[in-house]
Amino acid sequence: MKPEDMNQEQLAEFIIDMLHRMMVHHTLWFREVEHQLGFEKALKVMDYAWDKTKKISVQRMAQELGFEQNNGIPNALAKMPKDKQLHLLDAIAKNWLAQDGVWFQTVEFAHGMNDAKRCNDSTWSRFSLFEAWSVKKMLGLGAHPGLEGLEKALNFRIYGRLNVQTTHWEGAALVFEMNECRVQSARTRKGLEDYPCKSAGLVEYARFAEGIDDRIKTECIGCPPDKHPEEWHCAWRFTITE
């Protein structure tokens, strides 16, 4: 059997599978360059490779599907009404969270909670650094944007589209509060206790802050299984000691 022998539904499934392979191949290239050259060099390599790949891929898809594009961005996306763009961001964020949950539960059901939490925490230690790099580059924050840069960057995490969060200042310290967490709120509606996410949070927030500015230190004010007030699920204090 060859692709030419498939029906349209089978070919559609094949196309989706090919896109998945491309996504995994991209990730494996990054992992191997990181293994051989280190994280910082891998980010620089990926920066160039992704920019080139994005432009090549979108240009080719534009030719195949008949849409206009400019410098790797489909015109339909660039000219989409702002409210629809924001709804699309939210949809992508929800898909990301669903993907994260499916991965966690798949490992948990197959290998148990301990292995799921180990994999989860390790994934966050890597993803948080990458997300910080991505946000920092997108916003043009520079090498050491300080706590002001971190405050801005926190609004551009994927979680920023899913949860209700606030920041305020305690003297020279920046305090971040997760006022409504999508995951914990869902558990509360089901009558379940908070998910004990502190081990992941300690990695997640510290690594993200370090990725924005390596001078920043992170302190956990409270995170489940810690008891917390009704107005937040977790809270974090960020400082810079000159």
Side-chain angles (χ1 to χ4, degrees):
M1 184 179 183
K2 297 180 179 180
E4 289 76 10
D5 301 319
M6 289 178 160
N7 60 36
Q8 287 174 288
E9 185 175 348
Q10 290 171 324
L11 281 171
E13 180 65 30
F14 187 24
I15 289 168
I16 297 297
D17 187 65
M18 290 275 279
L19 291 172
H20 182 222
R21 293 183 214 177
M22 186 175 179
M23 177 176 65
V24 172
H25 190 243
H26 175 76
T27 303
L28 292 176
W29 255 110
F30 177 79
R31 289 295 304 270
E32 189 55 31
V33 176
E34 179 192 13
H35 174 68
Q36 298 290 342
L37 304 176
F39 188 77
E40 292 299 325
K41 289 182 179 178
L43 285 176
K44 291 180 180 178
V45 171
M46 183 176 64
D47 187 22
Y48 179 82
W50 169 239
D51 184 62
K52 295 287 288 186
T53 301
K54 178 184 67 175
K55 292 175 183 177
I56 291 169
S57 298
V58 172
Q59 183 178 33
R60 185 164 287 120
M61 290 300 100
Q63 293 170 351
E64 292 295 327
L65 300 176
F67 62 82
E68 296 181 353
Q69 63 88 32
N70 183 34
N71 204 32
I73 304 295
N75 287 359
L77 181 60
K79 296 179 180 180
M80 183 183 292
K82 188 174 179 179
D83 62 332
K84 289 189 176 181
Q85 288 178 322
L86 292 171
H87 281 300
L88 181 57
L89 277 177
D90 293 344
I92 292 170
K94 290 172 185 175
N95 279 348
W96 167 82
L97 185 61
Q99 173 186 264
D100 184 68
V102 168
W103 267 104
F104 188 100
Q105 290 180 359
T106 302
V107 177
E108 179 188 1
F109 296 156
H111 303 284
M113 177 61 77
N114 281 344
D115 281 345
K117 286 183 69 64
R118 286 195 305 110
C119 291
N120 180 66
D121 296 358
S122 295
T123 297
W124 271 110
S125 73
R126 300 168 64 80
F127 180 73
S128 291
L129 266 181
F130 164 72
E131 189 172 33
W133 171 84
S134 184
V135 171
K136 190 173 178 178
K137 177 176 177 290
M138 180 181 68
L139 299 180
L141 292 179
H144 293 101
L147 296 175
E148 292 80 5
L150 175 62
E151 183 177 33
K152 186 175 183 179
L154 285 165
N155 291 320
F156 290 87
R157 296 179 69 220
I158 300 180
Y159 258 134
R161 300 303 310 175
L162 295 167
N163 299 336
V164 177
Q165 59 189 44
T166 55
T167 55
H168 64 271
W169 293 84
E170 291 181 352
L174 175 67
V175 174
F176 173 90
E177 295 177 356
M178 189 67 77
N179 307 108
E180 185 175 334
C181 173
R182 192 178 183 89
V183 172
Q184 302 292 19
S185 294
R187 292 179 64 85
T188 299
R189 289 194 299 271
K190 295 175 182 178
L192 301 173
E193 293 183 355
D194 285 340
Y195 170 71
C197 56
K198 186 173 183 176
S199 62
L202 287 168
V203 174
E204 172 188 347
Y205 286 95
R207 298 289 269 180
F208 185 83
E210 289 170 13
I212 297 299
D213 190 321
D214 58 14
R215 302 172 300 168
I216 297 176
K217 303 301 179 185
T218 303
E219 174 193 353
C220 179
I221 298 172
C223 184
D226 297 340
K227 294 186 180 300
H228 59 84
E230 290 187 5
E231 58 264 27
W232 51 258
H233 286 95
C234 69
W236 308 85
R237 183 180 290 107
F238 303 101
T239 56
I240 291 180
T241 301
E242 297 294 346

